[in-house]
Amino acid sequence: MYDRWYASTLAEKLVRPFVHIVFGARQCGKSTLIRSLLPPDAHVFDLADPGERSRFLREPERLIKICQAMPVQKEPHTVFVDEVQAVPALFDAVQHLYDGDKKRWRFILCGSSARKLRQAGANLLPGRSFVHHLFPLMMAERPVPKRLKASAQGVIPMSFDPPSGNLFPEADLSTRLAYGELPGIVTADEKDRHDMLEGYALLHLEEEIRREGLVRDWGKFQRFLQLAAAESGQIVNYAAISNEAALSQPTVKAHYQLLEDLFIGFTLPAWTRSPRKQLLSTPRFYLFDLGLRHAAAGLSATPETVLSNPGPIFEQWVGIELWKRLRYLGKGNLYYMRTKDGAEVDYIIEHGGEIIPIEVKWTENPTTSDARHLRTFMAEQKGKAKRGYVVCRCDRPMQLDTNITAIPWHDL
């Protein structure tokens, strides 16, 4: 069992007398983490099991009967339902039980899709639940090679003192860019990773989508997914993808929303608080993991693929890493900024009262010209942006301008 950053937070919250809902994409390690925290006598219902799922689909109130048959005891019974989105009616059953006795049971509900829950009008237990999210690995969970000693505190520090000291295998930059950060992928033999990612992109998604009836035409959705993956990290062009995939623009927008509902994609909004005119306002879209992105785009997930055009992939990796950290912290926002004439700031972090602009450059030798857009942005913010960074492949931090520092990727 490898240590996860969110484990201590989740363990501390699970003892609180609420229903706990844990969301996240498949293969992020949700079930593994939750099961590691369950007491030995926990009651587990896995709706990925077709038989178990069918029984609850026929009779959702079966959960009420089972729980009410549990003996009254001093400590609450822990009830864990995995893949709960398969039977949305179970949320009503849980509410009935919870409202009847808040101390007799402790419910943990785990799911990999919010679409079916929303479409079914599922009761997500407002006022009764804590909602948690689990993401692919962050740098704090998967260390850099020991030869690359961190020399800075990081843009958004994520301190982590693993209880068992059992971190995921270390990885250099090219490995991260090629295979991504899904736990099952990074622990697999390198020769198997591409095939596993291809299976995830095709089989796991198809199973999820077909089982829940989320799209009518799987073939056209596959074409959309390939295009969306190829354009990951770019400003969304609904019209172009609509034409290429032979889908209406409303359908394309619905498919993008579906990827977010499955927790395998996210949108990055544009920064609009600038005195500059001609700012673009269309969001960017990112798949949540680079390994999945390569496989879904029909590319070979290998370091060779990355090195054929490393800049955009490196930029995506930085953005995904920052997004995961902010989501775990539960506060702060991430943006990008671009004008119609091409001036751009790759990422803008708003966190802890600070505004932090970031440029990403695939270079080992950053220069002051790499900071020119940061200088302009920081001047516009009139003291609100007090530090800026150029994230690159230099071997140690370098001062490029007043309050602008170039940092190695492993100091992010």
Side-chain angles (χ1 to χ4, degrees):
M1 177 68 188
Y2 293 99
D3 291 310
R4 296 300 303 265
W5 183 90
Y6 195 64
S8 59
T9 300
L10 183 59
E12 186 272 329
K13 290 187 176 181
L14 286 180
V15 302
R16 302 187 191 181
F18 295 91
V19 178
H20 296 270
I21 304 172
V22 183
F23 282 133
R26 287 191 171 200
Q27 303 297 311
C28 278
K30 304 183 304 298
S31 299
T32 300
L33 175 58
I34 293 170
R35 288 172 186 267
S36 74
L37 300 175
L38 295 177
D41 59 350
H43 305 267
V44 178
F45 303 95
D46 184 1
L47 302 188
D49 177 346
E52 190 84 282
R53 183 170 65 250
S54 295
R55 286 188 288 272
F56 279 112
L57 281 169
R58 288 194 303 269
E59 187 187 5
E61 62 271 21
R62 182 169 174 266
L63 181 65
I64 297 175
K65 298 175 182 177
I66 292 172
C67 289
Q68 288 178 336
M70 297 175 188
V72 177
Q73 59 186 32
K74 184 177 180 181
E75 294 298 321
H77 292 278
T78 299
V79 179
F80 172 41
V81 183
D82 203 1
E83 297 295 339
V84 68
Q85 79 278 352
V87 188
L90 288 181
F91 283 89
D92 291 329
V94 168
Q95 178 176 329
H96 174 79
L97 291 163
Y98 179 83
D99 287 349
D101 192 333
K102 294 177 175 60
K103 296 183 179 180
R104 188 173 173 185
W105 303 279
R106 185 78 70 248
F107 293 100
I108 305 169
L109 312 177
C110 182
S112 57
S113 170
R115 169 60 67 92
K116 190 171 184 180
L117 296 177
R118 188 168 62 245
Q119 287 186 332
N123 171 14
L124 295 184
L125 310 170
R128 302 170 178 86
S129 62
F130 280 3
V131 178
H132 313 267
H133 290 87
L134 196 69
F135 305 104
L137 303 177
M138 299 184 296
M139 287 181 66
E141 300 166 292
R142 189 187 187 194
V144 301
K146 293 182 176 61
R147 69 178 186 278
L148 302 175
K149 294 183 179 180
S151 55
Q153 292 299 312
V155 178
I156 308 174
M158 299 290 283
S159 59
F160 184 39
D161 185 16
S164 72
N166 195 21
L167 293 171
F168 283 82
E170 66 181 33
D172 58 19
L173 182 59
S174 63
T175 299
R176 294 171 191 270
L177 300 188
Y179 302 114
E181 307 284 0
L182 290 169
I185 303 299
V186 307
T187 54
D189 288 340
E190 186 170 355
K191 65 179 182 296
D192 297 325
R193 291 175 185 170
H194 169 72
D195 290 340
M196 292 174 68
L197 286 165
E198 197 170 58
Y200 185 108
L202 297 177
L203 302 179
H204 280 303
L205 286 182
E206 181 175 11
E207 178 189 358
E208 188 94 55
I209 289 168
R210 285 188 185 278
R211 190 172 74 193
E212 297 192 15
L214 299 177
V215 299
R216 294 181 180 178
D217 190 327
W218 171 248
K220 286 188 176 181
F221 180 82
Q222 274 190 310
R223 177 58 179 156
F224 158 78
L225 179 62
Q226 184 178 32
L227 293 167
E231 296 297 314
S232 180
Q234 305 300 313
I235 295 171
V236 179
N237 187 332
Y238 295 111
I241 290 184
S242 172
N243 290 333
E244 286 285 332
L247 293 166
S248 69
Q249 287 196 41
T251 299
V252 168
K253 292 179 180 180
H255 284 352
Y256 271 113
Q257 183 60 55
L258 172 58
L259 295 180
E260 293 199 60
D261 288 343
L262 294 174
F263 307 107
I264 63 171
F266 65 94
T267 54
L268 187 67
W271 177 269
T272 56
R273 283 171 280 165
S274 171
R276 272 189 270 189
K277 298 180 180 179
Q278 304 296 309
L279 287 178
L280 297 181
S281 58
T282 307
R284 290 177 174 176
F285 182 84
Y286 292 73
L287 287 183
F288 80 139
D289 181 75
L290 284 175
L292 172 62
R293 177 261 173 190
H294 302 327
L299 302 173
S300 179
T302 63
E304 290 74 24
T305 295
V306 171
L307 292 176
S308 67
N309 187 23
I313 300 174
F314 181 39
E315 183 181 316
Q316 286 182 65
W317 177 81
V318 171
I320 295 168
E321 175 72 18
L322 294 173
W323 173 77
K324 288 183 287 191
R325 296 185 195 184
L326 289 170
R327 290 298 306 274
Y328 272 136
L329 292 173
K331 52 188 177 182
N333 295 293
L334 189 65
Y335 305 90
Y336 84 97
M337 189 188 80
R338 186 174 183 179
T339 64
K340 291 184 179 179
D341 60 6
E344 184 173 14
V345 176
D346 292 330
Y347 299 108
I348 300 167
I349 300 169
E350 190 174 38
H351 177 258
E354 279 192 283
I355 296 173
I356 308 169
I358 294 174
E359 281 285 304
V360 183
K361 299 293 182 182
W362 183 263
T363 180
E364 296 178 350
N365 302 295
T367 66
T368 55
S369 67
D370 293 320
R372 63 188 185 281
H373 295 313
L374 299 182
R375 282 195 300 270
T376 302
F377 177 85
M378 294 172 73
E380 290 174 352
Q381 294 305 308
K382 299 179 180 178
K384 295 179 182 179
K386 297 180 180 179
R387 56 181 173 133
Y389 296 95
V390 174
V391 181
C392 59
R393 295 183 302 131
C394 57
D395 58 356
R396 63 191 65 193
M398 301 170 58
Q399 199 69 33
L400 299 183
D401 205 330
T402 304
N403 298 328
I404 300 177
T405 307
I407 59 172
W409 67 271
H410 51 83
D411 280 352
L412 181 61

